[in-house]
């Protein structure tokens, strides 16, 4: 993988798209404003390990203004945007991540009446990350809430158990049936990431979401980092199975699933993604059209990726691509066409 991914600007067409779908809303604070902190302390987890986050603090004359602005952002993102809830809110912490490309701020807002708290993130705007968020919203089982204003991106917190923590602490305690179910979900997650070209899904870039259903727990895997959408040139980067951090999940698949089951789950995921592409209608058509003309990667990455995808699909159209958006568009169209061809074949067989 590339050591440092650049942030790509939002072009006029993408900006208009965000405005049309109510993703572009004026907010009272910018990413750069939060960089004016006067000091920080390291944040440790319950085991005393460095989390790679630092808790920042601001001078007294700036703190009041920043707190008020963050409460207003919370209200715009998660409520009706009014000031009426401010009296019940407290900004408990502003944390800054020194690890990775996006270097986000994590804001902890607490309701003083009942001590419930919520997180949201403030990052620098990056076009490829926005494409990733929108594709996740349309093509995954989950909806995403985020806002963009000029050079600042606000993201709602995605709840779940960090993948690396789950693998280390909870996976060994899972029952055999739970491990089989996790193996199935990892196959589906792996396929979904590859189809929509979401890269770098190492264990700390996704969360495990447990849901209690009658007498058992259902586990789902959900991406939380969209920084590497359509950027890298190696196809392996878009397949979580090839990261060493996911080794135990891959072993789970090997031990719990037969090849026929793996193939079945891959087909299921492709079919579900194809259905979501169809049901997303004009929205995903607009996004794909904008992405096709956008520049969100390096030329060398584009040449490498289209060559590797051609080797996988033998579709000559991939060799004609000149942007990552064109590769993504063809990949989604390839999945959709295959689904429609199979569906039509089934209809014909039933009819005759």
């Amino acid at each position: 993988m590339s050591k440092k991914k650049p942030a790509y600007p939002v072009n006029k067409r993408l900006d208009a798209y965000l405005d049309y779908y109510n993703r572009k809303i004026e907010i009272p604070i910018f990413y750069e404003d939060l960089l004016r902190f006067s000091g920080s302390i390291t944040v440790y987890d319950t085991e005393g390990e460095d989390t790679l986050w630092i808790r920042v603090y601001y001078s007294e004359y700036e703190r009041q203004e920043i707190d008020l602005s963050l409460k207003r952002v919370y209200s715009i993102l998660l409520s009706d945007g009014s000031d009426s809830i401010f009296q019940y809110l407290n900004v408990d912490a502003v944390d800054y991540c020194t690890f990775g490309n996006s270097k986000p701020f994590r804001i902890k807002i607490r309701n003083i009446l009942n001590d419930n708290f919520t997180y949201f993130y403030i990052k620098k705007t990056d076009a490829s990350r926005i494409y990733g968020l929108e594709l996740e919203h349309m093509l995954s089982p989950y909806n995403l809430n985020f806002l963009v204003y000029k050079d600042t991106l606000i993201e709602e917190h995605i709840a779940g158990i960090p993948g690396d923590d789950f693998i280390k602490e909870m996976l060994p305690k899972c029952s055999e049936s739970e491990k089989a179910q996790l193996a199935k979900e990892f196959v589906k997650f792996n396929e979904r990431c590859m189809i929509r070209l979401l890269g770098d899904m190492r264990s700390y870039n996704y969360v495990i979401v447990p849901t209690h259903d009658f007498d058992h727990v259902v586990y789902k895997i959900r991406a939380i980092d969209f920084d590497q959408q359509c950027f890298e040139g190696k196809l392996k980067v878009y397949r979580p199975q090839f990261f060493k951090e996911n080794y135990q999940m891959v072993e789970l698949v090997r031990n719990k699933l037969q090849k026929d089951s793996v193939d079945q789950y891959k087909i299921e995921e492709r079919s579900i993604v194809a259905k979501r592409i169809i049901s997303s209608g004009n929205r995903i058509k607009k996004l794909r059209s904008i992405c096709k003309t956008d520049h969100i990667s390096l030329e060398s990455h584009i040449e490498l990726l289209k060559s590797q995808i051609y080797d996988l699909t033998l579709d000559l159209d991939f060799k004609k691509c000149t942007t990552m958006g064109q590769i993504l568009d063809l990949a989604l169209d390839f999945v959709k066409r295959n689904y429609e061809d199979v569906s039509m074949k089934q209809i014909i067989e039933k009819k005759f």
Side-chain angles (χ1 to χ4, degrees), residues 48-64:
E49 297 289 329
D50 188 348
T51 62
L52 301 179
W53 289 83
I54 58 173
R55 185 147 298 164
V56 302
Y57 54 89
Y58 301 86
S59 59
E60 191 61 36
Y61 72 93
E62 284 193 320
R63 181 73 202 208
Q64 188 174 358

Side-chain angles (χ1 to χ4, degrees), residues 35-49:
L35 290 174
R36 301 199 308 260
F37 54 85
S38 56
S40 65
I41 58 173
T42 302
V43 177
Y44 297 97
D45 62 19
T46 55
E47 304 295 325
E49 297 289 329

Side-chain angles (χ1 to χ4, degrees), residues 67-68 70-72 74-75 82-91 109-114:
D67 278 12
L68 182 62
L70 292 175
K71 290 177 185 178
R72 185 162 282 118
Y74 172 90
S75 181
S82 70
D83 300 355
S84 59
I85 62 172
F86 288 5
Q87 59 184 314
Y88 309 120
L89 303 178
N90 187 69
V91 181
I109 302 286
R110 178 172 56 88
N111 186 309
I112 61 176
L113 297 178
N114 51 38

Side-chain angles (χ1 to χ4, degrees), residues 287-328:
L287 188 72
R288 288 164 64 177
S289 174
I290 295 165
C291 191
K292 282 166 68 175
T293 60
D294 209 346
H295 298 283
I296 52 173
S297 187
L298 307 176
E299 189 174 338
S300 58
H301 290 179
I302 296 167
E303 291 298 317
L304 178 59
L305 184 60
K306 71 182 186 182
S307 172
Q308 292 187 351
I309 293 183
Y310 168 75
D311 292 339
L312 182 67
T313 63
L314 300 180
D315 188 334
L316 284 169
D317 287 337
F318 283 105
K319 288 196 169 184
K320 303 172 187 175
C321 294
T322 57
T323 68
M324 275 292 184
Q326 289 175 0
I327 297 175
L328 172 67

Side-chain angles (χ1 to χ4, degrees), residues 5 23 36 45 125 148 163 172 174 190 219 326 333 336:
K5 173 189 168 291
R23 298 294 200 188
R36 301 199 308 260
D45 62 19
T125 301
V148 181
C174 288
N190 187 78
Y219 294 99
Q326 289 175 0
D333 194 52
K336 178 174 170 284

